[in-house]
Amino acid sequence: MESVKQESCSLSSEDGVGTSSNHAQIIPFHDVYSILSKYMEENGGLDIPRTDAAMTRLVSALNKIGFAQVPSQQHIDDEANHKPSQGQSKSVDDSVHDDKQVARNPTTAESTSIKNDVQETAAAAANAVRTANATKLKARCDICEQKDGFRGYNLQICSVCGLAVHERCYGMALTTTKNLDFVCKACAAIDAKVEVNKPSILGRSSSTKETIKVQERPTECVLCNVHDGIHAMHPLFDTHGPEGRQLVISEGGNADRKLAWVHTLCANFICSKTGGSVYGCYGDDGRYEDDSDEEYTDEENEVRFYAIATKENGKETAWSKIIAEYRKTIKCTICGKRDNSGNSLGIALQCCANDVNEVVDFKRRHTDRSECFVGMHVGCARW
């Protein structure tokens, strides 16, 4: 912060701030912007957004300490692209210094006050910009039920259905801004023609493909018995890898075929409880783990879909065995169903309150120290 203060004061001195001269007070916008960007970079690694809302608050904050320049939106856009305005051949720095300024002749006492305030320009204006862009949304994440900003998690709201999710909980690329055009996966699927494997069998792919059109927003989760409500959803694929496609399920023959979806909460919770029997897959290649040194972009590291562990070469794996055991022995006490029928994809879990393997965060949420073994689907328990 000290280096920023020195740079701010240096600029003020050059432009007459803090002196009793009759020159107008001038703090070039480009220079101040550079100072603020440096401050944000050194104090949290954030870039100052060049949005109308952010600029309005930035200029307001600067005006309070005597800065009277109000740049045009065109100038802001030109600054963002580091090029002169149309019809100019001057450098960005020259064009900034030529911008119109509001003349001002501060008194000695006023100048001293301004000089002291200018030392805090970076902090004050940066905080104003941060407030403009990081206003907490009054909603809770559908997955973890926590507020915007919990543990630093950024909340986004679907512009179609109003679903609220933390980027981290939903498996999105992490940002520090609000995306007003964010659309959840379930809403994005509406009216889409989805390519699927033919036949569509869990644990397999096929060289033959067909398409199924999504008629409405999916609400049914195959991992629990909740079939309605607006919740965070992910597609369930038949297998991982580039040949995997969204699984097709049917309850009444070909006339009632539909695509399989899971609650993101159900998939996440079952994954953590079973060590990966239900697992997220990433990128266009549908990978579920990466042992290479290859680096991926944020978009490639987003959870694109989930898959369920199955037998390999006709034999149970450690993960598929867990699922088979749970389906055979655990009954959901809420919906009353057991998932041991041949076509069920549901997975109920057993309460582990006060078990030696209970998550520490969960221990703080109950005072009863007796063990509990009640079975339930994650979605049934939540909704």
Side-chain angles (χ1 to χ4, degrees):
M1 183 61 195
E2 186 61 34
S3 61
V4 175
K5 287 185 178 181
Q6 291 174 356
E7 189 173 357
S8 300
C9 292
S10 172
L11 282 170
S12 338
S13 225
E14 286 178 11
D15 296 313
V17 178
T19 69
S20 58
S21 66
N22 292 325
H23 295 294
Q25 178 206 348
I26 300 174
I27 307 177
F29 179 82
H30 176 74
D31 291 335
V32 172
Y33 201 93
S34 297
I35 295 172
L36 299 182
S37 294
K38 182 176 181 180
Y39 171 84
M40 296 289 277
E41 182 178 352
E42 294 177 349
N43 296 270
L46 302 176
D47 291 327
I48 300 175
R50 294 175 183 266
T51 62
D52 288 343
M55 288 299 102
T56 298
R57 296 203 183 195
L58 172 61
V59 172
S60 175
L62 294 177
N63 283 342
K64 289 180 180 179
I65 60 153
F67 176 68
Q69 179 188 28
V70 181
S72 66
Q73 185 59 48
Q74 180 61 46
H75 177 71
I76 294 172
D77 294 338
D78 290 341
E79 281 285 287
N81 296 322
H82 298 289
K83 63 182 181 180
S85 301
Q86 186 175 4
Q88 293 183 345
S89 59
K90 299 180 180 179
S91 67
V92 172
D93 190 65
D94 289 337
S95 65
V96 170
H97 281 271
D98 285 346
D99 279 351
K100 292 182 179 179
Q101 307 284 331
V102 178
R104 179 171 180 171
N105 298 312
T107 64
T108 301
E110 189 177 9
S111 294
T112 302
S113 174
I114 291 174
K115 180 178 180 180
N116 293 334
D117 287 340
V118 166
Q119 292 181 349
E120 300 301 326
T121 297
N127 285 334
V129 173
R130 185 185 285 111
T131 300
N133 193 51
T135 300
K136 297 293 188 294
L137 299 175
K138 296 184 181 301
R140 288 182 178 268
C141 175
D142 179 72
I143 302 167
C144 74
E145 286 194 318
Q146 297 294 336
K147 296 179 180 180
D148 189 11
F150 173 74
R151 292 182 177 174
Y153 297 172
N154 190 28
L155 196 72
Q156 302 287 2
I157 293 183
C158 177
S159 58
V160 178
C161 68
L163 172 78
V165 289
H166 287 131
E167 293 169 336
R168 184 177 294 277
C169 295
Y170 201 43
M172 300 167 58
L174 304 183
T175 72
T176 57
T177 59
K178 303 303 180 188
N179 181 5
L180 300 181
D181 298 320
F182 166 65
V183 178
C184 72
K185 293 184 182 297
C187 288
I190 300 174
D191 291 330
K193 292 183 178 179
V194 180
E195 182 183 79
V196 298
N197 284 314
K198 183 180 181 181
S200 181
I201 302 174
L202 194 65
R204 301 183 189 177
S205 61
S206 172
S207 58
T208 305
K209 312 293 182 186
E210 63 176 327
T211 59
I212 293 182
K213 184 175 181 179
V214 180
Q215 302 292 343
E216 58 186 4
R217 187 192 190 281
T219 59
E220 180 178 350
C221 171
V222 300
L223 296 176
C224 70
N225 201 34
V226 175
H227 297 167
D228 54 14
I230 301 298
H231 300 297
M233 310 286 290
H234 268 82
L236 178 70
F237 273 37
D238 45 26
T239 186
H240 59 264
E243 295 302 318
R245 296 294 185 273
Q246 192 163 0
L247 183 67
V248 180
I249 57 177
S250 175
E251 295 179 352
N254 289 335
D256 193 30
R257 295 196 311 159
K258 54 189 175 183
L259 298 173
W261 289 81
V262 297
H263 291 134
T264 308
L265 169 65
C266 291
N268 282 347
F269 204 95
I270 293 172
C271 178
S272 63
K273 183 68 169 63
T274 62
S277 293
V278 176
Y279 53 97
C281 299
Y282 307 81
D284 293 336
D285 55 355
R287 69 187 186 283
Y288 67 95
E289 61 182 13
D290 178 37
D291 296 327
S292 71
D293 294 329
E294 184 176 354
E295 294 185 0
Y296 296 93
T297 64
D298 289 342
E299 290 74 17
E300 291 173 324
N301 281 323
E302 292 189 8
V303 177
R304 190 161 66 92
F305 61 87
Y306 281 89
I308 297 179
T310 59
K311 295 180 179 180
E312 293 182 2
N313 300 320
K315 296 182 179 181
E316 294 280 11
T317 65
W319 297 276
S320 66
K321 188 175 181 179
I322 292 175
I323 295 176
E325 184 67 20
Y326 281 11
R327 286 175 175 163
K328 180 181 178 180
T329 60
I330 302 177
K331 177 182 178 181
C332 178
T333 57
I334 298 173
C335 71
K337 292 186 177 181
R338 195 187 299 274
D339 302 300
N340 57 353
S341 62
N343 60 353
S344 175
L345 295 175
I347 303 175
L349 301 178
Q350 196 171 42
C351 180
C352 61
N354 298 309
D355 183 83
V356 292
N357 296 318
E358 182 182 9
V359 178
V360 175
D361 285 348
F362 293 171
K363 287 183 181 294
R364 305 189 186 104
R365 296 177 179 270
H366 56 85
T367 56
D368 187 348
R369 293 309 172 199
S370 59
E371 290 186 320
C372 177
F373 305 101
V374 171
M376 66 200 80
H377 294 117
V378 177
C380 294
R382 168 66 76 82
W383 297 299

